[in-house]
Amino acid sequence: MANTPPVSQLSACPSCEEPLEAGDLFCGACGADLAAPAPAPAAAEPAAGSNGAGPAAAPAGTPPGAPAGTPPVPGEPAAGPDGPSAAQRTGSYRIAGPGDVPQGAGDSGEFLLDAPEEDPEHYRIAEPAAPQGADPRAALGTAAGAADPAQSAGAAGPVPAGRRCIACRTGAIDTDGYCERCGHAQPRERDHMEQEAEGVAAVTDRGLRHHRNEDFFAIAGAALPNGAPATVAVVCDGVSSASRPDEASAAASGAAGTALKGTLGRGLHPQQAMHEALLAAAGAVNELAAQHSPLSHQNAPACTIVSAVIAGGILTVGWVGDSRAYWVPDDRAAPAARLTEDDSWAAQMVAAGLMNEADAYADERAHAITGWLGADAHELDPHTASFKPDGPGVVIVCTDGLWNYAEAAAELAAAVPADAAARPLHAAQVLVGHALDGGGHDNVTVAVLPFPGPAGGAGPS
């Protein structure tokens, strides 16, 4: 184990030589655990972990995704006696350390959000930069079918009954989704999910590099006390360097979606309902940590969240972290706009006037998040804002798996199909395809909400 380099120093998978990205914890090609020690050059098969389902986990107290004895990564703060602190996460997301510039006021360099006013009828979308020409993407193609399991590649011994491994074609699959013979991770149900409800649709995909999908979403229609309809979309992105990020995103999105439906139905103002939903999501992630470990603050489950509600002609967004919401008008001659400001190192640099947006997001520290949901979040600061667009359009709610490939509002608008308001599910599929065509280096989740929402009554009184 002492000879195994830290995950952050591996350039290729030791099992299949697949090239790796910085922060990868598993090989995107063969599913190998990059934190496990390199196999010994003996003829015998490697020993299984304590559950008989693959390599044993790294001892407690080691950095996330690294074996015991791994030296600290140069330039990163050392972990404390109770594990990584709230400002020490590393991996697909990194948390800004205490020496980073604090969050400042101001815009992102792309457009300035109007400060919400007390009267929701006066909310307006602020003027962003002029858009570029539209260039909608083609529809997402159909993936090739799975290989024929009858083609077993010279396996020794009888074939176990039930589901078989897609890699070795012989091993049985354990309850954690790994082959009991070769340890290969199997496709999971949530690797690709699609859902459509009245007035909203969403798609999530594992992407091309990650071993599992750590994003999740919740969409729903709701009814206001006067019978008017409302639409709700919640998108969460698990923090990969935390424990059980997939569970965190599922818990947070479910709690926020349920809270929004309930509070909107009781007549709470959408912005207050959004605030309470974000708190409910944070509570669900905190409870997830408390249920599994007495040390709930030690590498606790964590995720980001962004949500949108359309009710009574008002668009309300709420977020914590760097997942985003965008406004894309039907009239593509009108400017698109980003509605959220990232809780991230790059956003802090731009807001403080220390870097322009292009340079900040090109920096390797760009995705160091400064806000998230989790028991180890040093301070929960939910953001909410409401707007009243001047015309019809769509709201795009997404994780950074999409906006990494279309960061500016004009770039994202160019990828949105012209008929997105009429076919929101198709639009979400196209946007996921845009991310996969761009490289698919992260999980990607997209929700599309047409504005105004479904007809069905007057707005809230």
Side-chain angles (χ1 to χ4, degrees):
M1 183 170 292
N3 294 327
T4 302
V7 172
S8 60
Q9 296 179 8
L10 292 174
S11 59
C13 174
S15 297
C16 69
E17 299 186 355
E18 171 74 5
L20 300 176
E21 294 288 322
D24 281 353
L25 303 181
F26 293 84
C27 176
C30 69
D33 184 354
L34 303 179
E45 294 189 19
S50 59
N51 63 354
T62 58
T70 297
V73 180
E76 297 289 344
D82 296 327
S85 70
Q88 294 172 350
R89 291 198 189 281
T90 59
S92 294
Y93 290 86
R94 295 184 299 105
I95 308 304
D100 291 318
V101 177
Q103 180 71 45
D107 67 359
S108 66
E110 179 179 340
F111 82 105
L112 180 62
L113 285 175
D114 283 338
E117 304 173 23
E118 293 185 2
D119 181 1
E121 292 299 318
H122 295 134
Y123 292 130
R124 291 292 187 273
I125 295 288
E127 285 292 328
Q132 300 173 356
D135 181 22
R137 301 291 300 222
L140 178 63
T142 303
D148 183 1
Q151 300 175 352
S152 55
V159 176
R163 184 182 173 196
R164 292 179 297 175
C165 173
I166 65 168
C168 70
R169 308 292 176 84
T170 60
I173 309 306
D174 65 16
T175 56
D176 293 327
Y178 289 84
C179 175
E180 293 180 341
R181 183 176 184 275
C182 71
H184 192 94
Q186 306 301 298
R188 294 166 171 82
E189 180 181 358
R190 64 186 278 181
D191 280 358
H192 184 92
M193 298 184 295
E194 300 183 358
Q195 186 179 348
E196 186 170 25
E198 185 178 7
V200 60
V203 175
T204 184
D205 191 271
R206 178 173 63 92
L208 305 180
R209 298 296 301 249
H210 280 243
H211 77 291
R212 65 180 175 186
N213 191 356
E214 296 168 356
D215 290 357
F216 213 79
F217 67 81
I219 61 172
L224 303 179
N226 63 358
T231 52
V232 172
V234 183
V235 167
C236 293
D237 185 353
V239 177
S240 294
S241 58
S243 64
R244 309 193 311 280
D246 51 336
E247 296 178 41
S249 62
S253 58
T258 299
L260 282 168
K261 289 184 65 176
T263 52
L264 290 171
R266 295 197 301 270
L268 200 64
H269 187 279
Q271 198 161 344
Q272 182 61 34
M274 181 67 74
H275 182 81
E276 294 192 8
L278 296 177
L279 295 179
V285 180
N286 292 349
E287 180 63 24
L288 191 63
Q291 289 173 354
H292 288 78
S293 172
L295 301 175
S296 60
H297 291 269
Q298 182 174 333
N299 195 30
C303 67
T304 67
I305 185 170
V306 62
S307 181
V309 169
I310 296 176
I314 301 298
L315 162 60
T316 301
V317 296
W319 72 98
V320 176
D322 65 348
S323 293
R324 293 180 176 181
Y326 291 83
W327 165 251
V328 179
D330 284 351
D331 179 6
R332 297 305 171 84
R338 174 151 61 93
L339 306 177
T340 57
E341 294 288 347
D342 298 343
D343 291 322
S344 70
W345 179 91
Q348 287 184 347
M349 296 298 101
V350 174
L354 299 177
M355 301 177 71
N356 62 44
E357 190 167 19
D359 291 341
Y361 282 99
D363 193 283
E364 63 179 7
R365 297 165 290 182
H367 289 277
I369 56 174
T370 57
W372 66 95
L373 304 182
D376 60 355
H378 51 81
E379 181 180 354
L380 180 62
D381 184 20
H383 312 289
T384 62
S386 292
F387 309 91
K388 188 172 183 180
D390 294 329
V394 291
V395 182
I396 306 297
V397 182
C398 63
T399 61
D400 63 345
L402 171 63
W403 65 254
N404 276 332
Y405 300 101
E407 184 176 332
E411 294 174 336
L412 187 87
V416 176
D419 61 351
R423 297 201 295 164
L425 179 58
H426 171 255
Q429 292 169 336
V430 169
L431 290 171
V432 168
H434 179 82
L436 297 180
D437 289 346
H441 286 266
D442 200 355
N443 307 146
V444 54
T445 302
V446 182
V448 179
L449 300 86
F451 180 92
S461 56

